[in-house]
Amino acid sequence: MAEATSGTSVTTAAPLVSIRHLAKSYQRGAQTVPVLSDISLDIAEGDFIALMGPSGSGKSTLLNLIAGIDRPDSGELLVGGVDISELPEASLADWRAAHVGFIFQFYNLMPVLTAYENVELPLMLTRLGRAERRERVEMVLRMVNLGDRMDHYPSELSGGQQQRVAIARALITDPTLIVADEPTGDLDRTSATEILTMLQRLNADVGKTIIMVTHDAHAAEAAKSLVHLEKGELLQTERRQPGPRA
Amino acid sequence: MYLPKLIARNAMRHKLRTTLTVLGLVIAVLAYGLLQTVVDAWYAGASAASNARLVTRNAISLTFALPLHYEYRIKGVDGVSQVARSNWFGGVYRDPKNFFAQFAVSDNYLDLYPEFIVKPEERADYQRDRRGALIGRQLADSYGFKVGDVIPIKGTIYPGTWDFVVRGIMEGRDESTITRQMIFHWDYLNETVRKKTARQADQVGVFVVGIDNPDNGAAISRAVDNVFKNSLAETLTETEQAFQLGFVAMSNQIIAAIRVVSYVVIVIVMAVMANAMAMSARERITEYATLKALGFGSGFLSLLVFGESMIISMVGGAIGMLLTPPAASFFKQAVGGVFPVFTVSQETMAMQAACAVVVGLAAAIVPAVQAARVRIVEGLRAIG
Amino acid sequence: MAIPLHYIARNVWARRLTTALTAGGLALVVFVFATMLMLDAGLKQTLVTTGERDNVVVIRKGAETEIQSAISRDQAAALEMHPAVALTTEGRPMASREAVVLISLTKTGYTTPSNVIIRGVSPLGVTMRPQIRLTEGRVFKPGSAEIIVGSSIAKGYGNVRIGDHIRFAQRDWTVVGHFDAGGSGFDSEIWGDIDQLMQSFRRTSYSSMVMRLSNADGFDKFRADIDVDPRLANEAKREQQFYSDQSKALSAFINILGLTLTTIFSVAAMIGAMITMYASVANRVGEIGTLRALGFQRNNVLMAFLIEAVLLGLVGGIAGLLCAALMQFASFSTTNFQTFADLSFRFLLTPGIILKTLLFSMAMGLIGGFLPALRASRLNIVDALRAR
């Protein structure tokens, strides 16, 4: 049982992500700008959390810290029992490859690689052979309903399709955690709904832990828990079940 | 004054790229300048030649000599004022690397070469000493020869070790005079040779012929050759300049190659710069669209691009031109005696400037046209 | 290689214009570099292959070239008598007395004449050089005013076809044959009968002697004997060594000139590569951030951009090499400073040159791309992701 400044998820199992007194600030010229101050939070395994807050609240920074692509200035950050703030850079890269799947607002696909190759990319960090990689890529692309578009380049796909490729890429290494930064930010309403539904399915059926940053209330409705941040501080967490999709 | 300011600031936006481009231009302009100077240096002998002098040699090739008695018959031709003798000695001073010209010449040789200035008392000393030698200023400076030094030369055409005593220094009248050479008495050579191999005696390498009227050069040359037509040793007489150009022509393929290559380096840097300008233009499409939306015309945008390209090429070109003379001196030292005259000509500098201008213009053409053609709406939508 | 090769290669292809311009600049440098190497190789082959291993050339002491040398008839006779000299089946010494003179001939398409070597040889002179093959006509008859012409002369000069006459030394000489000397220096020469030539040029001494030793190992003793003999003021050298020494200055000149030019040019081309690679990195900052987020290491990113730069160099190298290969159809002639005679040689492309050239072009790409690749690897992940 972890205590926090405000409501935490109630669970008997050890939380997947355990954050204690996390702080982070940035240098802007001669000034030091604090972005996160004294954040403490637990995220249970299998949860689907939406980090919300106005611009400048620090939600993206928190996500970056949990995902291991940035380092906190102080505090404790345990993911799956590992204090990733203590890991040296090379080990952190290996850790990310094994434990984190990324979904970005602008998809961040390599324009010169096909959908198949983009999804295959994280597997190049493993020792799997070509045949094994093919098996997994095809499986995961079918999961996102893009089996017939494998050989298309991102420029030949719609926004929604590109994001599905990104989701496939995020799933391919079977990561512990999926982090999504404004996944529906660049999509129209229909595609956004599609993506959110997919994320919900991944969470409900496959049991993936998803941490999503969004400022869109509609997107937040898909999540099971909400965490509100403002000016670098945790305001409140709500736990609820997602409502039916419109 | 808005346009120049905008152009200058744009150029400095990408400091690294601009610096690298300028550097590329400096190198290209410098290389071009040096290479053209090398070509000019090859022609140095021809440039220093006088049209008041003719050279008479054996018609078969320069490697054949002419009989001594030809001198009097040449003197007898109309229009000839003086005739001097000159034999290429071709000896080695200590090491074959120490290459410099040595000529065995008749006493009136200096009369035909007023561009060599010798102090009267030194000339008198030289006159008196059979083994005397006069050393050109450049040669004296290279090896530290002073009046009174004894110089041992190992003969190749005329075998044996020959000792000469420095009796004077020849100063050049101006920078184009080649003073990297040594002259000594033809009589001394001839006497010594006669004792060893009588057959080699009384042979002259070339006759230097002074004429009254430079305009009559061609006619007098023909007249001289006519005297010896159908004799044992037919002659070929030509102006000194033509004679020197004959030497240059021996390496004409190398010279042509160097000329071509000097322009290749300009083309290389043109490609580099066109690439850099194209990149900059691509990155600024949104800005160009914005300027157009604000009301600036296509002409203005083209000027922006050309202006930036020209500033970079002019700065690079100017630095390259400034560096060329010192680089030329350095090169001259480094290469030793191969090029006795190695000065950067005004023509070369003008060409350097022209190349910089051409590169600046050529590199900017495509980006300038693209900038002028930007459609506002598309440009504003583009992700730079 | 964690970051796949096809990702790297396709990025080079995706920015075609930039790649073309940069590779073009590199290709030009490579062309100059390769051509220079080919010229030197051609020169070496021409000279090194001139002459036979078993032949010895004797010239006057102190002379560096045949033009400067003179050997009297007495000296020639004494030399032929040396026990180390091989004998023909008829019991005569295998020696050729030779005289070398230069005449002026004008090349086709030029106005100024060049110096061409006329070599008078003894009857054995041709047979002592098995590399000489007659391609047309026949060898000159001893005692006649007939001459045979080397392949470079036949190609480069106008009126030297079989049956043509050249006039020198107040006589007309008839071309009766063309020969091929396997690309050696002899291809740039005209050969005739030694006695006829000596007479016409009014010479009483030979330029050199070429002799075959019965035992190649006997050379050192032969040379020593000649050196100390007071009647002879001569020195001996192996024939191939003799000709190779004669071009040292020219070879050195070509090498230094080529090296200087290539160094200067390569700096300009590397600057071009650097500009291109910096832009390549700048354009893909977002991708780099994504790759790092996905778990690729800094070193993976460094390697990927280094390989991209090397690929750029390789493209330029292949392009430049292909153009340089065309030079094999050209021939080059210039006056050898040392002998004063015109010498023709070809551009020779060897596997060694191909390898050196490709390595050079890849190195240019590598050096030019190093700093940009370093910058790419040093990007901060969050900043890179934000920068799109």
Side-chain angles (χ1 to χ4, degrees):
Chain A
M1 277 292 278
E3 83 288 4
T5 48
S6 38
T8 350
S9 47
V10 176
T11 171
T12 45
L16 180 61
V17 180
S18 172
I19 300 172
R20 293 287 172 271
H21 308 293
L22 214 57
K24 176 77 184 175
S25 43
Y26 286 114
Q27 288 291 113
R28 205 124 297 199
Q31 278 193 306
T32 310
V33 179
V35 183
L36 292 175
S37 3
D38 198 19
I39 304 278
S40 295
L41 175 64
D42 281 343
I43 301 177
E45 190 169 350
D47 206 346
F48 185 164
I49 285 196
L51 293 177
M52 299 196 66
S55 167
S57 55
K59 55 191 191 298
S60 286
T61 304
L62 182 56
L63 190 73
N64 290 343
L65 291 170
I66 297 174
I69 59 175
D70 202 355
R71 276 190 197 284
D73 292 338
S74 62
E76 192 185 71
L77 177 50
L78 292 163
V79 181
V82 177
D83 188 347
I84 62 173
S85 61
E86 295 292 308
L87 285 180
E89 185 165 10
S91 315
L92 195 54
D94 291 334
W95 178 84
R96 284 198 301 274
H99 291 98
V100 185
F102 285 87
I103 303 170
F104 300 95
Q105 178 177 2
F106 293 106
Y107 332 123
N108 287 32
L109 299 177
M110 306 295 150
V112 300
L113 295 180
T114 62
Y116 177 96
E117 289 162 345
N118 267 294
V119 174
E120 192 191 20
L121 197 52
L123 292 182
M124 306 308 270
L125 289 162
T126 66
R127 289 184 197 278
L128 294 174
R130 180 181 292 223
E132 282 172 313
R133 294 201 303 263
R134 174 158 279 274
E135 220 181 280
R136 293 196 187 199
V137 171
E138 285 179 357
M139 178 186 79
V140 111
L141 275 172
R142 275 195 297 270
M143 273 173 74
V144 301
N145 290 330
L146 277 175
D148 56 337
R149 297 270 195 177
M150 279 191 244
D151 296 321
H152 287 201
Y153 287 92
S155 54
E156 297 163 344
L157 300 171
S158 72
Q161 287 166 330
Q162 289 184 59
Q163 197 61 299
R164 280 191 272 155
V165 174
I167 293 178
R169 182 180 67 188
L171 289 174
I172 191 88
T173 51
D174 198 22
T176 315
L177 206 53
I178 295 197
V179 304
D181 196 340
E182 309 274 10
T184 56
D186 197 50
L187 299 173
D188 61 78
R189 183 76 174 206
T190 324
S191 309
T193 310
E194 207 177 79
I195 296 297
L196 290 166
T197 310
M198 200 172 282
L199 289 175
Q200 277 183 316
R201 256 186 39 223
L202 286 172
N203 175 252
D205 302 344
V206 186
K208 289 293 171 198
T209 311
I210 302 181
I211 308 174
M212 177 174 73
V213 158
T214 184
H215 62 266
D216 178 9
H218 171 64
E221 281 170 21
K224 286 199 271 201
S225 313
L226 293 180
V227 173
H228 288 275
L229 287 137
E230 191 165 314
K231 294 206 182 103
E233 287 178 350
L234 210 57
L235 284 188
Q236 57 172 130
T237 50
E238 296 164 36
R239 178 153 178 82
R240 61 170 175 72
Q241 292 299 324
R245 299 275 91 236
Chain B
M1 287 310 289
Y2 186 70
L3 186 59
K5 194 161 58 170
L6 190 55
I7 291 175
R9 296 231 187 114
N10 267 333
M12 289 320 290
R13 273 164 75 164
H14 217 294
K15 289 206 190 60
L16 183 57
R17 179 186 296 166
T18 301
T19 310
L20 286 177
T21 312
V22 167
L23 191 59
L25 262 149
V26 170
I27 291 176
V29 166
L30 184 59
Y32 173 85
L34 281 178
L35 288 172
Q36 289 290 341
T37 306
V38 167
V39 171
D40 285 344
W42 229 297
Y43 283 89
S47 314
S50 153
N51 56 0
R53 289 191 290 261
L54 306 175
V55 174
T56 300
R57 59 168 172 92
N58 192 312
I60 303 178
S61 89
L62 200 51
T63 52
F64 286 89
L66 293 169
L68 176 58
H69 65 82
Y70 275 26
E71 181 174 332
Y72 309 108
R73 300 175 66 187
I74 298 176
K75 192 100 196 291
V77 172
D78 258 337
V80 171
S81 59
Q82 272 211 67
V83 180
R85 296 162 236 144
S86 175
N87 283 26
W88 172 265
F89 188 69
V92 173
Y93 172 64
R94 297 197 197 287
D95 190 283
K97 273 205 298 277
N98 300 331
F99 173 80
F100 58 86
Q102 309 121 26
F103 298 99
V105 300
S106 53
D107 291 338
N108 59 350
Y109 186 81
L110 282 172
D111 297 334
L112 280 174
Y113 284 87
E115 55 262 50
F116 292 133
I117 303 169
V118 184
K119 294 212 236 344
E121 60 271 21
E122 288 182 353
R123 180 139 179 206
D125 285 340
Y126 166 68
Q127 217 50 38
R128 276 194 291 266
D129 185 355
R130 280 170 59 247
R131 294 189 310 145
L134 290 176
I135 308 285
R137 166 53 61 194
Q138 274 175 335
L139 189 60
D141 289 344
S142 282
Y143 293 100
F145 295 143
K146 291 183 303 299
V147 173
D149 285 350
V150 176
I151 305 180
I153 309 264
K154 194 162 83 93
T156 52
I157 309 171
Y158 304 98
T161 306
W162 302 65
D163 289 329
F164 300 98
V165 185
V166 181
R167 287 295 172 199
I169 308 288
M170 300 187 287
E171 305 286 348
R173 185 171 52 190
D174 56 53
E175 235 193 21
S176 69
T177 315
I178 301 174
T179 54
R180 201 176 192 281
Q181 53 179 296
M182 170 181 130
I183 62 174
F184 61 94
H185 294 292
W186 188 89
D187 291 325
Y188 175 50
L189 174 71
N190 204 37
E191 288 161 22
T192 316
V193 162
R194 195 196 302 276
K195 281 186 252 177
K196 288 197 197 156
T197 21
R199 266 220 77 235
Q200 250 185 332
D202 292 344
Q203 301 280 315
V204 179
V206 298
F207 289 103
V208 183
V209 181
I211 56 181
D212 290 329
N213 188 349
D215 295 332
N216 292 338
I220 301 181
S221 299
R222 278 196 297 275
V224 170
D225 290 339
N226 269 333
V227 175
F228 304 105
K229 216 175 178 67
N230 294 318
S231 73
L232 249 47
E234 292 185 347
T235 60
L236 176 63
T237 308
E238 53 194 347
T239 62
E240 194 186 24
Q241 188 174 60
F243 177 70
Q244 293 287 355
L245 284 175
F247 286 105
V248 177
M250 290 192 220
S251 307
N252 56 13
Q253 288 201 353
I254 294 186
I255 295 176
I258 295 180
R259 273 218 181 93
V260 165
V261 154
S262 73
Y263 286 103
V264 165
V265 76
I266 299 291
V267 173
I268 292 178
V269 97
M270 203 184 288
V272 167
M273 193 153 167
N275 193 21
M277 292 309 298
M279 276 187 228
S280 298
R282 260 202 303 270
E283 289 156 14
R284 295 184 202 156
I285 291 196
T286 321
E287 293 167 38
Y288 294 143
T290 308
L291 282 169
K292 269 205 175 169
L294 288 177
F296 290 95
S298 304
F300 182 82
L301 290 178
S302 299
L303 272 179
L304 263 185
V305 175
F306 272 111
E308 186 175 338
S309 186
M310 292 304 293
I311 279 195
I312 295 178
S313 70
M314 300 273 70
V315 168
I319 297 178
M321 283 167 69
L322 278 172
L323 288 177
T324 310
S329 318
F330 175 75
F331 185 76
K332 181 175 167 180
Q333 312 276 52
V335 176
V338 179
F339 295 116
V341 175
F342 199 76
T343 39
V344 187
S345 74
Q346 291 195 323
E347 234 167 12
T348 300
M349 301 207 84
M351 280 305 292
Q352 282 177 305
C355 284
V357 169
V358 169
V359 168
L361 289 175
I365 290 182
V366 172
V369 166
Q370 281 179 338
R373 286 217 191 128
V374 158
R375 299 239 287 266
I376 303 180
V377 175
E378 286 167 23
L380 288 174
R381 222 192 339 239
I383 308 165
Chain C
M1 247 326 295
I3 297 186
L5 199 56
H6 51 84
Y7 169 73
I8 301 170
R10 276 186 225 162
N11 270 306
V12 172
W13 175 248
R15 292 150 57 81
R16 280 191 281 289
L17 176 64
T18 292
T19 298
L21 282 170
T22 312
L26 287 164
L28 277 170
V29 181
V30 164
F31 173 75
V32 172
F33 179 74
T35 304
M36 205 276 311
L37 286 180
M38 285 163 66
L39 193 64
D40 190 52
L43 176 63
K44 281 202 172 62
Q45 185 200 54
T46 298
L47 297 157
V48 160
T49 58
T50 303
E52 299 297 315
R53 298 206 71 251
D54 303 331
N55 286 352
V56 172
V57 173
V58 180
I59 51 173
R60 187 183 61 196
K61 250 191 218 156
E64 293 168 337
T65 63
E66 287 163 298
I67 297 285
Q68 296 166 338
S69 159
I71 299 185
S72 72
R73 289 188 196 271
D74 295 335
Q75 289 172 339
L79 284 164
E80 284 172 353
M81 292 289 111
H82 194 284
V85 178
L87 298 175
T88 63
T89 44
E90 289 102 31
R92 278 180 302 156
M94 279 203 92
S96 173
R97 305 178 181 199
E98 311 206 331
V100 169
V101 296
L102 295 177
I103 63 167
S104 296
L105 282 182
T106 312
K107 269 188 260 209
T108 334
Y110 285 78
T111 43
T112 40
S114 312
N115 291 334
V116 174
I117 287 185
I118 307 262
R119 180 183 296 271
V121 300
S122 302
L124 285 171
V126 179
T127 48
M128 281 175 70
R129 281 122 166 167
Q131 70 180 156
I132 309 269
R133 296 178 310 110
L134 221 50
T135 53
E136 245 191 277
R138 56 175 176 79
V139 182
F140 54 86
K141 277 203 290 285
S144 67
E146 294 175 346
I147 50 178
I148 56 176
V149 162
S151 60
S152 299
I153 305 285
K155 258 195 291 253
Y157 293 76
N159 31 4
V160 290
R161 291 168 307 234
I162 310 281
D164 281 341
H165 301 282
I166 308 184
R167 185 175 179 80
F168 52 84
Q170 299 191 298
R171 266 176 98 172
D172 282 323
W173 302 74
T174 315
V175 179
V176 298
H178 288 176
F179 65 87
D180 185 292
S184 69
F186 295 137
D187 275 320
S188 302
E189 297 184 357
I190 299 178
W191 287 20
D193 176 66
I194 175 78
D195 293 320
Q196 291 300 310
L197 279 162
M198 296 265 284
Q199 215 178 66
S200 301
F201 285 111
R202 287 177 170 58
R203 293 175 65 110
T204 52
S205 54
Y206 307 108
S207 301
S208 61
M209 301 250 323
V210 179
M211 315 204 279
R212 177 74 59 85
L213 300 179
S214 45
N215 183 357
D217 297 330
F219 171 70
D220 290 318
K221 177 154 195 317
F222 179 72
R223 183 157 55 91
D225 285 347
I226 300 215
D227 205 39
V228 301
D229 191 327
R231 300 170 297 165
L232 311 169
N234 298 317
E235 58 183 288
K237 273 191 198 174
R238 289 197 194 272
E239 192 177 22
Q240 286 181 331
Q241 180 68 43
F242 175 70
Y243 286 110
S244 134
D245 284 349
Q246 291 202 324
S247 70
K248 275 217 178 71
L250 186 60
S251 180
F253 175 77
I254 289 179
N255 273 315
I256 294 181
L257 188 64
L259 200 64
T260 317
L261 290 177
T262 309
T263 309
I264 299 175
F265 291 11
S266 68
V267 174
M270 282 192 280
I271 287 179
M274 206 183 286
I275 294 177
T276 298
M277 288 308 299
Y278 269 124
S280 176
V281 169
N283 277 350
R284 311 214 315 263
V285 164
E287 286 177 44
I288 296 173
T290 305
L291 285 169
R292 295 281 312 284
L294 289 178
F296 289 93
Q297 302 278 4
R298 285 191 197 279
N299 279 343
N300 297 141
V301 171
L302 180 70
M303 279 303 297
F305 279 94
L306 284 178
I307 291 178
E308 182 174 331
V310 168
L311 268 178
L312 203 55
L314 190 61
V315 170
I318 293 177
L321 203 53
L322 283 174
C323 293
L326 291 174
M327 294 298 285
Q328 289 181 99
F329 298 108
S331 73
F332 191 81
S333 73
T334 189
T335 305
N336 183 347
F337 317 139
Q338 277 171 290
T339 61
F340 215 55
D342 211 55
L343 186 62
S344 266
F345 41 99
R346 310 195 61 99
F347 295 90
L348 188 67
L349 185 59
T350 68
I353 291 180
I354 294 180
L355 189 64
K356 261 191 225 163
T357 305
L358 289 177
L359 284 176
F360 171 66
S361 70
M362 291 197 283
M364 276 200 288
L366 189 68
I367 297 175
F370 180 71
L371 288 177
L374 204 60
R375 172 184 284 196
S377 72
R378 289 227 185 115
L379 287 175
N380 175 281
I381 303 178
V382 171
D383 291 336
L385 286 172
R386 215 199 308 267
R388 31 194 21 255

